[in-house]
Amino acid sequence: MQTPSPTLRTIVILGFDGIQALDLVGPMEVFSKANTYCPAGSPAYRVLLASPRGGHIVSNAGLCIAATEPLAALPSSLDTLIVAGGDEAGLRKVAEEGELLGWLQQRAGSFRRLASVCTGAFVLAAAGLLKGRRAATHWSACDTLQAMWPDIEVDRDAIYTAEPPFYTSAGVTTGLDLCLALVEDDCGAQVALNVARDLVLFMRRPGTQAQFSMALRAQGAAGSRLAPLVAQIVDDPRGDLSVPAMSARVGMSERTFVRRFRAELGETPAQFVKQVRVERAKTLLETTRWPLARIADSSGFSGLDALHRTFLKHVGVTPAAYRSYFGVRMGESGVK
C-alpha cells in the first residue's frame, strides 16, 4: 500500500450519557497518536468530541467528560463520524429523544465514513443506516441487534466490518483495531504500525479475526473432566495428540472421550487440535521472524509440508502469504 498524502481530516467522536468510556477515549487516542507520526507540521486529524446537546456527559462507570460540542455547532465539513457504544439506558434515551437520530439521517450523506464502536451500532441501526448491510457489535448484543433489525446481517465473529462508507466494530477494544485500519487507509501502514506500538497493542488485527479466539471459547465450554486437557493443548499443541493419547490422559475410553468432547466443544478432538495449531502458527507468523520450519514444529505440525497444506485448506493462503500481510515489517521489533 502506498502512503497517502496527509490531509487534515475532521473526525467527530460522538458520545452520550451512559457511554462506555473506552469506546470514546480509545479512538481519540489512536487519531491523536497518528498525528505525532505524520510529517512535521502536517497533522492528519482534527478530533472533535460531540454529544447531542453538548456540555458534559457521564459514562456508565461515572466518569464525567466535559466540554463536548453540541451537534448543532459541528462544522458542515466533516470527514468521519464515530458513534461510541454505551449502556442500555443511554441507548434507549438516545432513541426516544430522536434528536441524534434525526441529525444522523440528515447529515449521513456528508460524511466520507460513518462508524460505530460496540453498541454504537444500535444508534446507526436506529437511524436506518445499516439496512441491508453487514454489521458487528459486542458479542452479548448480537442477538438483540439481529432481533430488532432483521434486515441487518449481524456478523457475530468479526471484530470489525468495513462496507464503505459504513464501518462497525465489536466490543470495546476492537474500536482500536477499526481506527488503526482507518489510519492505515489514510496515512499508510507505517503510521498505523507506529501508533499500535506506541499504544502497546499486541498487533494489528484484521477485521475478520473472531471476537474470541477458538481456544478461549473452548476453555469456556469444556467441562471439568476435559478442561485441564484443553488448557494443556492450548498451552502446548505439540506432541502426540491423537485420540488414543488424549483419551488416556483423561482416563476415558476412546469412544466416551470423543462423544463427550464433541458434546461439550461442538467439534471432534482432531478438529480442535488442528485449529489450535493453526492459531498458534498464525500468532507466530504475525509476531516473529522465525523460519517457517521452526513455526511448524512449534505449532505441532509434523513438518513444513503439513503446515503449508493446512494453511491452504483452512486459511486460504500459504503461511508465507499470511506473514507478508499480517507479520512484522522489516526494521520492526519481533519475537526472536
Side-chain angles (χ1 to χ4, degrees):
M1 177 185 293
Q2 294 182 345
T3 302
S5 301
T7 301
L8 187 64
R9 301 169 173 88
T10 300
I11 309 293
V12 176
I13 302 177
L14 183 60
F16 46 86
D17 284 329
I19 62 159
Q20 163 70 53
L22 284 176
D23 292 355
L24 184 148
V25 175
M28 289 184 71
E29 288 290 341
V30 169
F31 293 112
S32 175
K33 289 293 183 184
N35 281 338
T36 68
Y37 290 104
C38 290
S42 302
Y45 301 107
R46 174 193 181 202
V47 182
L48 299 178
L49 178 59
S51 63
R53 296 174 184 171
H56 77 272
I57 55 177
V58 180
S59 78
N60 58 8
L63 177 66
C64 183
I65 301 169
T68 66
E69 296 284 341
L71 296 177
L74 291 175
S76 58
S77 178
L78 300 171
D79 181 85
T80 301
L81 174 73
I82 300 175
V83 183
D87 60 25
E88 183 179 347
L91 291 166
R92 186 184 301 113
K93 184 177 180 181
V94 166
E96 289 174 350
E97 292 182 348
E99 180 180 1
L100 171 55
L101 302 184
W103 183 86
L104 276 173
Q105 292 163 347
Q106 181 181 7
R107 294 288 304 271
S110 65
F111 291 98
R112 182 168 67 98
R113 298 181 297 215
L114 293 99
S116 63
V117 180
C118 197
T119 53
F122 283 74
V123 176
L124 296 183
L129 301 178
L130 297 182
K131 184 177 181 180
R133 299 182 182 274
R134 187 168 63 96
T137 190
H138 192 277
W139 60 268
S140 67
C142 286
D143 288 343
T144 304
L145 183 64
Q146 189 68 83
M148 293 180 68
W149 291 280
D151 54 4
I152 297 175
E153 181 187 345
V154 178
D155 192 325
R156 300 169 186 274
D157 288 324
I159 62 171
Y160 64 81
T161 65
E163 294 201 352
F166 297 98
Y167 301 78
T168 60
S169 62
V172 195
T173 58
T174 60
L176 297 173
D177 298 292
L178 172 58
C179 291
L180 282 170
L182 300 182
V183 168
E184 182 170 350
D185 284 345
D186 294 340
C187 306
Q190 191 59 53
V191 171
L193 287 166
N194 287 339
V195 173
R197 180 166 48 234
D198 198 323
L199 296 177
V200 199
L201 299 176
F202 178 62
M203 60 182 167
R204 295 172 302 116
R205 297 185 291 177
T208 52
Q209 181 166 320
Q211 294 192 41
F212 289 111
S213 70
M214 177 277 310
L216 181 59
R217 294 186 187 193
Q219 290 182 72
S224 59
R225 287 284 297 276
L226 295 181
L229 174 65
V230 168
Q232 291 164 14
I233 295 171
V234 170
D235 183 61
D236 185 0
R238 297 172 296 176
D240 185 1
L241 295 178
S242 63
V243 167
M246 289 189 287
S247 60
R249 286 165 65 174
V250 296
M252 297 180 187
S253 70
E254 293 180 27
R255 183 176 180 180
T256 299
F257 171 69
V258 172
R259 185 176 67 250
R260 180 170 293 188
F261 198 100
R262 174 171 259 164
E264 293 184 6
L265 282 84
E267 59 190 340
T268 67
Q271 290 170 331
F272 173 73
V273 169
K274 184 170 292 184
Q275 289 184 66
V276 170
R277 287 172 171 167
V278 168
E279 281 203 0
R280 175 64 58 86
K282 282 183 175 181
T283 298
L284 294 175
L285 288 166
E286 291 164 351
T287 61
T288 77
R289 298 190 186 91
W290 289 359
L292 295 181
R294 181 180 178 186
I295 289 177
D297 178 69
S298 298
S299 303
F301 290 96
S302 59
L304 186 54
D305 286 345
L307 173 68
H308 188 89
R309 288 194 307 271
T310 302
F311 256 63
L312 279 176
K313 181 177 181 179
H314 295 278
V315 184
V317 296
T318 65
Y322 185 89
R323 167 179 269 172
S324 71
Y325 191 80
F326 298 120
V328 293
R329 304 301 203 259
M330 294 301 294
E332 296 175 5
S333 59
V335 179
K336 303 296 190 242

